mmCIF file of all heavy atoms in Angstrom:
data_model
loop_
_atom_site.group_PDB
_atom_site.id
_atom_site.type_symbol
_atom_site.label_atom_id
_atom_site.label_comp_id
_atom_site.label_asym_id
_atom_site.label_seq_id
_atom_site.Cartn_x
_atom_site.Cartn_y
_atom_site.Cartn_z
ATOM 1 N N GLU D 121 144.995 123.740 121.831
ATOM 2 C CA GLU D 121 143.892 124.504 122.515
ATOM 3 C C GLU D 121 144.327 124.815 123.963
ATOM 4 O O GLU D 121 144.103 125.953 124.422
ATOM 5 C CB GLU D 121 142.568 123.640 122.528
ATOM 6 C CG GLU D 121 141.491 124.350 123.296
ATOM 7 C CD GLU D 121 140.241 123.364 123.382
ATOM 8 O OE1 GLU D 121 140.003 122.605 122.509
ATOM 9 O OE2 GLU D 121 139.608 123.393 124.491
ATOM 10 N N ALA D 122 144.884 123.875 124.691
ATOM 11 C CA ALA D 122 145.301 124.135 126.030
ATOM 12 C C ALA D 122 146.452 125.149 126.033
ATOM 13 O O ALA D 122 146.456 126.122 126.874
ATOM 14 C CB ALA D 122 145.737 122.836 126.720
ATOM 15 N N LYS D 123 147.389 125.025 125.151
ATOM 16 C CA LYS D 123 148.479 126.018 125.000
ATOM 17 C C LYS D 123 147.923 127.448 124.805
ATOM 18 O O LYS D 123 148.351 128.364 125.458
ATOM 19 C CB LYS D 123 149.469 125.679 123.898
ATOM 20 C CG LYS D 123 150.308 124.459 124.250
ATOM 21 C CD LYS D 123 151.256 124.215 123.117
ATOM 22 C CE LYS D 123 152.138 122.924 123.435
ATOM 23 N NZ LYS D 123 153.094 122.725 122.323
ATOM 24 N N HIS D 124 146.963 127.519 123.876
ATOM 25 C CA HIS D 124 146.420 128.817 123.548
ATOM 26 C C HIS D 124 145.752 129.411 124.763
ATOM 27 O O HIS D 124 145.888 130.604 125.089
ATOM 28 C CB HIS D 124 145.432 128.728 122.348
ATOM 29 C CG HIS D 124 144.726 129.999 122.112
ATOM 30 N ND1 HIS D 124 145.368 131.056 121.526
ATOM 31 C CD2 HIS D 124 143.483 130.361 122.355
ATOM 32 C CE1 HIS D 124 144.483 132.078 121.392
ATOM 33 N NE2 HIS D 124 143.370 131.668 121.853
ATOM 34 N N ARG D 125 144.976 128.579 125.506
ATOM 35 C CA ARG D 125 144.191 129.017 126.668
ATOM 36 C C ARG D 125 145.147 129.575 127.725
ATOM 37 O O ARG D 125 144.959 130.620 128.295
ATOM 38 C CB ARG D 125 143.367 127.869 127.152
ATOM 39 C CG ARG D 125 142.311 128.184 128.186
ATOM 40 C CD ARG D 125 141.485 126.940 128.534
ATOM 41 N NE ARG D 125 142.289 125.852 129.086
ATOM 42 C CZ ARG D 125 142.415 124.676 128.453
ATOM 43 N NH1 ARG D 125 141.810 124.455 127.329
ATOM 44 N NH2 ARG D 125 143.137 123.757 128.976
ATOM 45 N N LEU D 126 146.207 128.742 127.945
ATOM 46 C CA LEU D 126 147.174 129.105 129.040
ATOM 47 C C LEU D 126 147.988 130.363 128.671
ATOM 48 O O LEU D 126 148.241 131.251 129.490
ATOM 49 C CB LEU D 126 148.058 127.872 129.383
ATOM 50 C CG LEU D 126 147.349 126.720 129.951
ATOM 51 C CD1 LEU D 126 148.206 125.488 129.826
ATOM 52 C CD2 LEU D 126 146.984 127.009 131.378
ATOM 53 N N LEU D 127 148.471 130.423 127.435
ATOM 54 C CA LEU D 127 149.242 131.502 126.982
ATOM 55 C C LEU D 127 148.472 132.806 126.922
ATOM 56 O O LEU D 127 148.976 133.962 127.198
ATOM 57 C CB LEU D 127 149.916 131.215 125.668
ATOM 58 C CG LEU D 127 150.911 130.129 125.605
ATOM 59 C CD1 LEU D 127 151.397 129.862 124.193
ATOM 60 C CD2 LEU D 127 152.038 130.342 126.579
ATOM 61 N N THR D 128 147.178 132.741 126.656
ATOM 62 C CA THR D 128 146.295 133.895 126.696
ATOM 63 C C THR D 128 146.309 134.478 128.100
ATOM 64 O O THR D 128 146.377 135.656 128.256
ATOM 65 C CB THR D 128 144.948 133.594 126.208
ATOM 66 O OG1 THR D 128 144.948 133.087 124.886
ATOM 67 C CG2 THR D 128 143.940 134.726 126.284
ATOM 68 N N ILE D 129 146.164 133.625 129.092
ATOM 69 C CA ILE D 129 146.198 134.138 130.443
ATOM 70 C C ILE D 129 147.575 134.759 130.828
ATOM 71 O O ILE D 129 147.590 135.899 131.315
ATOM 72 C CB ILE D 129 145.940 132.949 131.482
ATOM 73 C CG1 ILE D 129 144.534 132.400 131.259
ATOM 74 C CG2 ILE D 129 146.148 133.395 132.923
ATOM 75 C CD1 ILE D 129 144.291 131.076 131.949
ATOM 76 N N ILE D 130 148.655 134.046 130.535
ATOM 77 C CA ILE D 130 149.935 134.623 130.824
ATOM 78 C C ILE D 130 150.319 135.874 130.101
ATOM 79 O O ILE D 130 150.821 136.805 130.695
ATOM 80 C CB ILE D 130 151.082 133.524 130.477
ATOM 81 C CG1 ILE D 130 150.893 132.298 131.447
ATOM 82 C CG2 ILE D 130 152.447 134.103 130.518
ATOM 83 C CD1 ILE D 130 151.781 131.121 131.074
ATOM 84 N N ASP D 131 149.873 136.002 128.866
ATOM 85 C CA ASP D 131 150.199 137.163 128.027
ATOM 86 C C ASP D 131 149.336 138.331 128.229
ATOM 87 O O ASP D 131 149.599 139.434 127.704
ATOM 88 C CB ASP D 131 150.190 136.783 126.586
ATOM 89 C CG ASP D 131 151.278 135.782 126.159
ATOM 90 O OD1 ASP D 131 152.235 135.580 126.943
ATOM 91 O OD2 ASP D 131 151.159 135.113 125.085
ATOM 92 N N ASP D 132 148.265 138.220 128.993
ATOM 93 C CA ASP D 132 147.280 139.313 129.194
ATOM 94 C C ASP D 132 147.984 140.420 130.112
ATOM 95 O O ASP D 132 148.081 140.160 131.352
ATOM 96 C CB ASP D 132 146.019 138.839 129.832
ATOM 97 C CG ASP D 132 144.927 139.875 129.878
ATOM 98 O OD1 ASP D 132 145.243 141.075 129.855
ATOM 99 O OD2 ASP D 132 143.751 139.504 129.861
ATOM 100 N N LYS D 133 148.433 141.452 129.509
ATOM 101 C CA LYS D 133 149.126 142.465 130.277
ATOM 102 C C LYS D 133 148.151 143.314 131.173
ATOM 103 O O LYS D 133 148.642 143.931 132.186
ATOM 104 C CB LYS D 133 149.830 143.527 129.290
ATOM 105 C CG LYS D 133 150.756 142.838 128.326
ATOM 106 C CD LYS D 133 152.099 142.578 129.004
ATOM 107 C CE LYS D 133 153.102 142.108 128.045
ATOM 108 N NZ LYS D 133 153.684 140.855 128.267
ATOM 109 N N ASP D 134 146.894 143.281 130.922
ATOM 110 C CA ASP D 134 145.905 144.055 131.746
ATOM 111 C C ASP D 134 145.422 143.272 132.940
ATOM 112 O O ASP D 134 144.786 143.815 133.813
ATOM 113 C CB ASP D 134 144.798 144.494 130.868
ATOM 114 C CG ASP D 134 145.226 145.484 129.872
ATOM 115 O OD1 ASP D 134 146.176 146.316 130.122
ATOM 116 O OD2 ASP D 134 144.749 145.516 128.715
ATOM 117 N N MET D 135 145.639 141.871 132.893
ATOM 118 C CA MET D 135 145.101 141.091 133.971
ATOM 119 C C MET D 135 145.953 141.203 135.223
ATOM 120 O O MET D 135 147.152 140.976 135.065
ATOM 121 C CB MET D 135 144.983 139.575 133.526
ATOM 122 C CG MET D 135 144.325 138.682 134.518
ATOM 123 S SD MET D 135 144.340 136.905 133.991
ATOM 124 C CE MET D 135 143.285 136.971 132.559
ATOM 125 N N PRO D 136 145.411 141.546 136.336
ATOM 126 C CA PRO D 136 146.259 141.550 137.587
ATOM 127 C C PRO D 136 146.852 140.170 137.941
ATOM 128 O O PRO D 136 146.234 139.059 137.615
ATOM 129 C CB PRO D 136 145.184 141.897 138.687
ATOM 130 C CG PRO D 136 144.030 142.561 137.887
ATOM 131 C CD PRO D 136 144.038 141.874 136.573
ATOM 132 N N ILE D 137 147.980 140.176 138.532
ATOM 133 C CA ILE D 137 148.760 138.964 138.774
ATOM 134 C C ILE D 137 147.885 137.988 139.566
ATOM 135 O O ILE D 137 147.868 136.741 139.269
ATOM 136 C CB ILE D 137 150.050 139.292 139.504
ATOM 137 C CG1 ILE D 137 151.018 140.025 138.701
ATOM 138 C CG2 ILE D 137 150.673 138.004 140.130
ATOM 139 C CD1 ILE D 137 151.603 139.259 137.519
ATOM 140 N N GLU D 138 147.215 138.414 140.591
ATOM 141 C CA GLU D 138 146.400 137.521 141.429
ATOM 142 C C GLU D 138 145.307 136.902 140.658
ATOM 143 O O GLU D 138 144.974 135.674 140.914
ATOM 144 C CB GLU D 138 145.897 138.221 142.667
ATOM 145 C CG GLU D 138 146.978 138.637 143.705
ATOM 146 C CD GLU D 138 148.014 137.571 144.082
ATOM 147 O OE1 GLU D 138 147.545 136.394 144.293
ATOM 148 O OE2 GLU D 138 149.211 137.841 144.114
ATOM 149 N N TRP D 139 144.759 137.551 139.714
ATOM 150 C CA TRP D 139 143.719 136.967 138.866
ATOM 151 C C TRP D 139 144.280 135.978 137.875
ATOM 152 O O TRP D 139 143.672 134.958 137.677
ATOM 153 C CB TRP D 139 142.912 138.126 138.080
ATOM 154 C CG TRP D 139 141.821 137.580 137.363
ATOM 155 C CD1 TRP D 139 141.590 137.563 136.017
ATOM 156 C CD2 TRP D 139 140.554 137.021 137.896
ATOM 157 N NE1 TRP D 139 140.483 136.956 135.670
ATOM 158 C CE2 TRP D 139 139.802 136.647 136.737
ATOM 159 C CE3 TRP D 139 140.121 136.758 139.193
ATOM 160 C CZ2 TRP D 139 138.522 136.022 136.953
ATOM 161 C CZ3 TRP D 139 138.875 136.145 139.304
ATOM 162 C CH2 TRP D 139 138.156 135.804 138.223
ATOM 163 N N LYS D 140 145.561 136.280 137.366
ATOM 164 C CA LYS D 140 146.225 135.344 136.493
ATOM 165 C C LYS D 140 146.397 134.048 137.287
ATOM 166 O O LYS D 140 146.113 132.915 136.718
ATOM 167 C CB LYS D 140 147.609 135.813 136.090
ATOM 168 C CG LYS D 140 147.562 136.752 134.889
ATOM 169 C CD LYS D 140 148.948 137.116 134.482
ATOM 170 C CE LYS D 140 148.910 138.204 133.515
ATOM 171 N NZ LYS D 140 150.054 138.239 132.653
ATOM 172 N N LYS D 141 146.854 134.114 138.515
ATOM 173 C CA LYS D 141 147.103 132.916 139.276
ATOM 174 C C LYS D 141 145.765 132.146 139.495
ATOM 175 O O LYS D 141 145.849 130.853 139.469
ATOM 176 C CB LYS D 141 147.711 133.314 140.702
ATOM 177 C CG LYS D 141 149.118 133.815 140.526
ATOM 178 C CD LYS D 141 149.653 134.243 141.831
ATOM 179 C CE LYS D 141 150.971 134.841 141.785
ATOM 180 N NZ LYS D 141 151.627 135.147 143.073
ATOM 181 N N ARG D 142 144.691 132.861 139.709
ATOM 182 C CA ARG D 142 143.422 132.240 139.999
ATOM 183 C C ARG D 142 142.932 131.522 138.729
ATOM 184 O O ARG D 142 142.518 130.354 138.717
ATOM 185 C CB ARG D 142 142.384 133.246 140.454
ATOM 186 C CG ARG D 142 141.035 132.555 140.704
ATOM 187 C CD ARG D 142 140.082 133.531 141.335
ATOM 188 N NE ARG D 142 140.601 133.933 142.619
ATOM 189 C CZ ARG D 142 140.316 134.999 143.323
ATOM 190 N NH1 ARG D 142 139.438 135.882 142.731
ATOM 191 N NH2 ARG D 142 140.788 135.324 144.459
ATOM 192 N N CYS D 143 143.081 132.139 137.606
ATOM 193 C CA CYS D 143 142.698 131.540 136.287
ATOM 194 C C CYS D 143 143.563 130.290 136.017
ATOM 195 O O CYS D 143 143.038 129.329 135.551
ATOM 196 C CB CYS D 143 142.822 132.538 135.203
ATOM 197 S SG CYS D 143 141.587 133.871 135.264
ATOM 198 N N MET D 144 144.878 130.462 136.248
ATOM 199 C CA MET D 144 145.705 129.317 135.969
ATOM 200 C C MET D 144 145.390 128.109 136.898
ATOM 201 O O MET D 144 145.344 127.004 136.418
ATOM 202 C CB MET D 144 147.252 129.718 136.223
ATOM 203 C CG MET D 144 147.754 130.649 135.200
ATOM 204 S SD MET D 144 147.955 129.981 133.551
ATOM 205 C CE MET D 144 149.298 128.899 133.814
ATOM 206 N N SER D 145 145.199 128.427 138.193
ATOM 207 C CA SER D 145 144.888 127.320 139.137
ATOM 208 C C SER D 145 143.574 126.652 138.856
ATOM 209 O O SER D 145 143.411 125.501 139.303
ATOM 210 C CB SER D 145 144.966 127.833 140.532
ATOM 211 O OG SER D 145 143.811 128.707 140.798
ATOM 212 N N ARG D 146 142.674 127.284 138.186
ATOM 213 C CA ARG D 146 141.396 126.680 137.843
ATOM 214 C C ARG D 146 141.468 125.986 136.476
ATOM 215 O O ARG D 146 140.451 125.255 136.123
ATOM 216 C CB ARG D 146 140.335 127.763 137.771
ATOM 217 C CG ARG D 146 140.011 128.241 139.155
ATOM 218 C CD ARG D 146 138.986 129.343 139.121
ATOM 219 N NE ARG D 146 138.615 129.840 140.482
ATOM 220 C CZ ARG D 146 137.902 130.835 140.717
ATOM 221 N NH1 ARG D 146 137.370 131.606 139.712
ATOM 222 N NH2 ARG D 146 137.679 131.211 141.946
ATOM 223 N N ASP D 147 142.483 126.057 135.761
ATOM 224 C CA ASP D 147 142.596 125.409 134.444
ATOM 225 C C ASP D 147 142.827 123.907 134.676
ATOM 226 O O ASP D 147 143.456 123.491 135.610
ATOM 227 C CB ASP D 147 143.782 125.980 133.594
ATOM 228 C CG ASP D 147 143.750 125.506 132.215
ATOM 229 O OD1 ASP D 147 144.284 124.479 131.880
ATOM 230 O OD2 ASP D 147 143.159 126.287 131.406
ATOM 231 N N GLU D 148 142.204 123.132 133.755
ATOM 232 C CA GLU D 148 142.313 121.674 133.844
ATOM 233 C C GLU D 148 143.750 121.118 133.710
ATOM 234 O O GLU D 148 144.082 120.051 134.179
ATOM 235 C CB GLU D 148 141.440 121.010 132.786
ATOM 236 C CG GLU D 148 141.866 121.369 131.347
ATOM 237 C CD GLU D 148 140.824 120.965 130.337
ATOM 238 O OE1 GLU D 148 139.741 121.514 130.304
ATOM 239 O OE2 GLU D 148 141.153 120.071 129.477
ATOM 240 N N GLU D 149 144.691 121.950 133.144
ATOM 241 C CA GLU D 149 146.006 121.471 133.037
ATOM 242 C C GLU D 149 146.988 121.926 134.153
ATOM 243 O O GLU D 149 148.133 121.603 134.179
ATOM 244 C CB GLU D 149 146.604 122.052 131.710
ATOM 245 C CG GLU D 149 145.963 121.509 130.460
ATOM 246 C CD GLU D 149 146.131 120.052 130.241
ATOM 247 O OE1 GLU D 149 146.934 119.372 130.943
ATOM 248 O OE2 GLU D 149 145.411 119.498 129.347
ATOM 249 N N TYR D 150 146.383 122.665 135.139
ATOM 250 C CA TYR D 150 147.220 123.223 136.152
ATOM 251 C C TYR D 150 148.014 122.174 137.013
ATOM 252 O O TYR D 150 149.154 122.384 137.212
ATOM 253 C CB TYR D 150 146.353 124.101 137.090
ATOM 254 C CG TYR D 150 147.086 124.751 138.169
ATOM 255 C CD1 TYR D 150 148.003 125.826 137.912
ATOM 256 C CD2 TYR D 150 147.164 124.240 139.480
ATOM 257 C CE1 TYR D 150 148.794 126.414 138.980
ATOM 258 C CE2 TYR D 150 147.910 124.793 140.559
ATOM 259 C CZ TYR D 150 148.784 125.931 140.236
ATOM 260 O OH TYR D 150 149.426 126.446 141.225
ATOM 261 N N SER D 151 147.318 121.142 137.418
ATOM 262 C CA SER D 151 148.022 120.190 138.200
ATOM 263 C C SER D 151 149.196 119.556 137.415
ATOM 264 O O SER D 151 150.230 119.259 138.020
ATOM 265 C CB SER D 151 147.074 119.036 138.724
ATOM 266 O OG SER D 151 146.537 118.315 137.664
ATOM 267 N N TYR D 152 149.023 119.320 136.158
ATOM 268 C CA TYR D 152 150.119 118.818 135.354
ATOM 269 C C TYR D 152 151.300 119.874 135.273
ATOM 270 O O TYR D 152 152.471 119.486 135.517
ATOM 271 C CB TYR D 152 149.672 118.583 133.897
ATOM 272 C CG TYR D 152 150.746 118.385 132.854
ATOM 273 C CD1 TYR D 152 151.530 117.205 132.839
ATOM 274 C CD2 TYR D 152 150.985 119.349 131.914
ATOM 275 C CE1 TYR D 152 152.553 117.046 131.929
ATOM 276 C CE2 TYR D 152 151.999 119.216 130.989
ATOM 277 C CZ TYR D 152 152.740 118.035 130.985
ATOM 278 O OH TYR D 152 153.781 117.885 130.056
ATOM 279 N N LEU D 153 150.986 121.146 135.108
ATOM 280 C CA LEU D 153 151.997 122.172 134.940
ATOM 281 C C LEU D 153 152.618 122.323 136.337
ATOM 282 O O LEU D 153 153.908 122.501 136.410
ATOM 283 C CB LEU D 153 151.330 123.528 134.640
ATOM 284 C CG LEU D 153 150.765 123.639 133.249
ATOM 285 C CD1 LEU D 153 150.036 124.967 133.083
ATOM 286 C CD2 LEU D 153 151.781 123.458 132.119
ATOM 287 N N TYR D 154 151.887 122.243 137.373
ATOM 288 C CA TYR D 154 152.455 122.400 138.728
ATOM 289 C C TYR D 154 153.441 121.288 139.119
ATOM 290 O O TYR D 154 154.456 121.571 139.721
ATOM 291 C CB TYR D 154 151.297 122.431 139.774
ATOM 292 C CG TYR D 154 151.714 122.779 141.160
ATOM 293 C CD1 TYR D 154 151.913 124.116 141.515
ATOM 294 C CD2 TYR D 154 151.892 121.809 142.091
ATOM 295 C CE1 TYR D 154 152.383 124.436 142.819
ATOM 296 C CE2 TYR D 154 152.366 122.087 143.375
ATOM 297 C CZ TYR D 154 152.534 123.413 143.719
ATOM 298 O OH TYR D 154 152.994 123.745 145.015
ATOM 299 N N ARG D 155 153.111 120.084 138.758
ATOM 300 C CA ARG D 155 153.973 118.993 139.065
ATOM 301 C C ARG D 155 155.185 118.992 138.095
ATOM 302 O O ARG D 155 156.297 118.737 138.667
ATOM 303 C CB ARG D 155 153.279 117.650 138.862
ATOM 304 C CG ARG D 155 152.333 117.244 139.999
ATOM 305 C CD ARG D 155 151.845 115.746 139.821
ATOM 306 N NE ARG D 155 151.557 115.438 138.428
ATOM 307 C CZ ARG D 155 150.406 115.587 137.789
ATOM 308 N NH1 ARG D 155 149.399 116.211 138.447
ATOM 309 N NH2 ARG D 155 150.214 115.138 136.606
ATOM 310 N N LYS D 156 155.040 119.224 136.877
ATOM 311 C CA LYS D 156 156.100 119.128 135.936
ATOM 312 C C LYS D 156 157.018 120.381 135.862
ATOM 313 O O LYS D 156 158.248 120.198 135.752
ATOM 314 C CB LYS D 156 155.517 118.834 134.507
ATOM 315 C CG LYS D 156 156.645 118.669 133.527
ATOM 316 C CD LYS D 156 156.184 117.970 132.238
ATOM 317 C CE LYS D 156 157.358 117.735 131.356
ATOM 318 N NZ LYS D 156 157.210 116.641 130.472
ATOM 319 N N TYR D 157 156.506 121.512 135.806
ATOM 320 C CA TYR D 157 157.291 122.738 135.517
ATOM 321 C C TYR D 157 157.509 123.667 136.735
ATOM 322 O O TYR D 157 158.608 124.275 136.822
ATOM 323 C CB TYR D 157 156.653 123.533 134.378
ATOM 324 C CG TYR D 157 156.607 122.729 133.119
ATOM 325 C CD1 TYR D 157 155.434 122.494 132.437
ATOM 326 C CD2 TYR D 157 157.752 122.162 132.589
ATOM 327 C CE1 TYR D 157 155.455 121.788 131.272
ATOM 328 C CE2 TYR D 157 157.793 121.423 131.403
ATOM 329 C CZ TYR D 157 156.571 121.224 130.741
ATOM 330 O OH TYR D 157 156.589 120.579 129.581
ATOM 331 N N TYR D 158 156.675 123.757 137.656
ATOM 332 C CA TYR D 158 156.859 124.653 138.756
ATOM 333 C C TYR D 158 158.096 124.384 139.575
ATOM 334 O O TYR D 158 158.796 125.283 139.929
ATOM 335 C CB TYR D 158 155.596 124.718 139.698
ATOM 336 C CG TYR D 158 154.497 125.673 139.112
ATOM 337 C CD1 TYR D 158 153.966 125.480 137.817
ATOM 338 C CD2 TYR D 158 153.988 126.686 139.851
ATOM 339 C CE1 TYR D 158 153.042 126.303 137.279
ATOM 340 C CE2 TYR D 158 152.982 127.474 139.388
ATOM 341 C CZ TYR D 158 152.544 127.274 138.070
ATOM 342 O OH TYR D 158 151.529 128.090 137.560
ATOM 343 N N PRO D 159 158.431 123.072 139.797
ATOM 344 C CA PRO D 159 159.668 122.839 140.529
ATOM 345 C C PRO D 159 160.929 123.302 139.827
ATOM 346 O O PRO D 159 161.889 123.787 140.403
ATOM 347 C CB PRO D 159 159.708 121.323 140.738
ATOM 348 C CG PRO D 159 158.256 120.938 140.611
ATOM 349 C CD PRO D 159 157.601 121.887 139.627
ATOM 350 N N LEU D 160 160.879 123.321 138.454
ATOM 351 C CA LEU D 160 161.954 123.812 137.633
ATOM 352 C C LEU D 160 162.183 125.278 137.645
ATOM 353 O O LEU D 160 163.226 125.834 137.432
ATOM 354 C CB LEU D 160 161.853 123.247 136.213
ATOM 355 C CG LEU D 160 161.775 121.694 136.100
ATOM 356 C CD1 LEU D 160 161.516 121.292 134.671
ATOM 357 C CD2 LEU D 160 162.961 121.050 136.695
ATOM 358 N N ILE D 161 160.977 126.013 137.824
ATOM 359 C CA ILE D 161 161.033 127.418 137.858
ATOM 360 C C ILE D 161 161.544 127.964 139.088
ATOM 361 O O ILE D 161 162.066 129.130 139.088
ATOM 362 C CB ILE D 161 159.630 127.971 137.524
ATOM 363 C CG1 ILE D 161 159.149 127.532 136.162
ATOM 364 C CG2 ILE D 161 159.585 129.464 137.567
ATOM 365 C CD1 ILE D 161 157.657 127.739 135.795
#
Side-chain angles (χ1 to χ4, degrees):
E121 178 187 322
K123 287 181 183 184
H124 176 73
R125 192 175 59 246
L126 294 163
L127 295 176
T128 299
I129 296 168
I130 292 171
D131 293 344
D132 188 335
K133 303 282 187 235
D134 296 324
M135 186 184 294
I137 293 292
E138 294 309 318
W139 186 247
K140 279 187 188 203
K141 291 178 185 186
R142 182 173 294 157
C143 290
M144 291 293 288
S145 69
R146 291 180 176 169
D147 192 273
E148 61 192 67
E149 297 294 350
Y150 180 75
S151 63
Y152 166 72
L153 296 174
Y154 187 81
R155 281 190 323 273
K156 182 161 183 154
Y157 297 124
Y158 280 53
L160 302 176
I161 297 170

